[in-house]
Amino acid sequence: MTDRAPAGATRPPPPSPADAPRAGSGSRPGQGVYLYAVTPGEAPYAGEPHAGLPAGTHGDLRGVGGGAVRPVARGGLVACVSDVPLDQFGEEPLRRHLEDLDWVEGVARAHHAVVETLAAAGPAAPVRLVTVYTGDDQVRDLLDRRHDDFAEILARVAGRREWGVKAYLRRETARPAATPPERPAPSPAPSPAEPEGGGPGAAYLRRRKESLRGREDLWRAAAERAEELHAALGRLAVASRRHRPQDPRLSGRSESMLLNGAYLVDPAHEEEFAAVVAAHRDRFLDVEITGPWAPYSFTMIDLGPDRDGGVR
């Protein structure tokens, strides 16, 4: 397992400032309710405030700003939340804080740590970074209205884990061997830009064209190999998703990324999955596997219609 982020991003995406929470009925003065993920479960008994959280997380799980993670239960689902101050997570303060990359990084790390702990304990459907409501009643309303969506997601990911696979074009790779033609191809006529005859200028241009053709051949062969890898991993996975290739500033590598895939895998198939990845490390591709992760790529739910109560 590595400490890199899941396949699609280095951290969960920050919200737009327009999504920030607004005061509403049921809110506690100065406090918002930060939602991390939804898990299966029932309401805790009186006197056991953390009994609705997955086993192993009772009472000692801390989230954003060090707040204790607690359950808000409804209809067989548990929203795992903590209280956050609106002087940081209200609409105007959030606009300012989103410009502070250190602040965003700290929130993202705390959010991710809670989600990873929940996912390690059982099925969990993470939500987007900085999803804040103004009170527990709004969270319960969310669980009521989106119950079937959350239940479907939790059933899909139960007992499964996400793995990320990235494939890069190898920097030092021999040109693929060309297949000899059945008969000699006619020599191309020199272009107007090429000097006629066998002078040094013509020889340079020919070498330059051959070099470009070699790189194009290499790219084509590597891209086909990456497609084969994605298809082979998809046959082993319960579900797969192809993310956009990452910019080198995010990937930390200068080589071109040809595959940025996420795969939801049953534990029984993880060894075979890793073997397929290893088999595709060759003269064309350098392949990197990361994980296991909480299943971010297969659980995110669009809470856009629920924005009237706060951040998605």
Side-chain angles (χ1 to χ4, degrees):
M1 179 172 178
T2 77
D3 59 358
R4 293 198 182 186
T10 55
R11 58 186 172 220
S16 140
D19 290 334
R22 296 173 174 81
S25 59
S27 62
R28 290 181 294 280
Q31 293 289 310
V33 179
Y34 188 112
L35 175 61
Y36 301 91
V38 174
T39 66
E42 300 296 337
Y45 293 105
E48 296 182 77
H50 300 283
L53 295 177
T57 63
H58 300 171
D60 57 1
L61 185 57
R62 298 279 166 173
V64 173
V69 177
R70 58 184 178 83
V72 176
R74 189 75 146 200
L77 299 174
V78 172
C80 301
V81 307
S82 68
D83 297 324
V84 291
L86 290 179
D87 61 3
Q88 291 188 50
F89 291 88
E91 182 173 8
E92 290 305 319
L94 186 58
R95 287 179 188 274
R96 296 191 299 272
H97 283 305
L98 288 177
E99 297 176 1
D100 182 347
L101 294 182
D102 290 337
W103 185 89
V104 173
E105 181 76 22
V107 170
R109 287 186 181 279
H111 179 104
H112 182 62
V114 171
V115 169
E116 287 292 318
T117 301
L118 295 171
V127 300
R128 193 180 181 188
L129 184 69
V130 193
T131 298
V132 180
Y133 291 92
T134 57
D136 289 3
D137 286 346
Q138 289 181 342
V139 177
R140 294 188 187 97
D141 183 59
L142 168 69
L143 297 180
D144 280 340
R145 287 183 286 115
R146 306 303 294 272
H147 178 279
D148 291 349
D149 294 329
F150 281 119
E152 179 182 352
I153 287 172
L154 291 168
R156 183 195 313 147
V157 303
R160 295 160 176 159
R161 304 191 293 182
E162 177 175 335
W163 293 86
V165 175
K166 298 180 175 69
Y168 302 86
L169 179 69
R170 280 201 183 274
R171 204 180 298 176
E172 300 290 341
T173 306
R175 179 180 174 183
T179 303
E182 294 182 1
R183 58 185 179 184
S187 299
S191 70
E194 292 183 16
E196 300 220 13
Y204 169 79
L205 288 174
R206 282 196 296 273
R207 288 195 301 271
R208 179 71 174 163
K209 284 186 175 181
E210 289 171 0
S211 174
L212 290 173
R213 281 197 297 271
R215 286 198 291 272
E216 290 170 359
D217 290 345
L218 171 59
W219 180 276
R220 221 171 5 251
E224 289 173 1
R225 186 72 168 151
E227 291 296 330
E228 292 172 5
L229 171 60
H230 179 62
L233 295 177
R235 288 191 290 271
L236 287 174
V238 175
S240 63
R241 180 161 296 170
R242 193 161 187 165
H243 297 294
R244 293 169 58 183
Q246 289 179 329
D247 184 279
R249 290 171 294 181
L250 291 177
S251 69
R253 299 184 56 157
S254 60
E255 304 96 322
S256 298
M257 183 183 290
L258 301 178
L259 173 65
N260 184 16
Y263 306 88
L264 187 64
V265 184
D266 279 319
H269 295 149
E270 287 180 350
E271 187 173 339
E272 185 179 0
F273 185 90
V276 169
V277 170
H280 282 75
R281 293 188 180 108
D282 56 19
R283 64 193 182 101
F284 298 114
L285 296 181
D286 185 15
V287 186
E288 177 183 274
I289 184 170
T290 64
W293 307 108
Y296 281 103
S297 298
F298 306 97
T299 56
M300 286 297 185
I301 184 170
D302 182 7
L303 302 181
D306 302 304
R307 287 172 56 186
D308 57 344
V311 179
R312 292 187 294 180

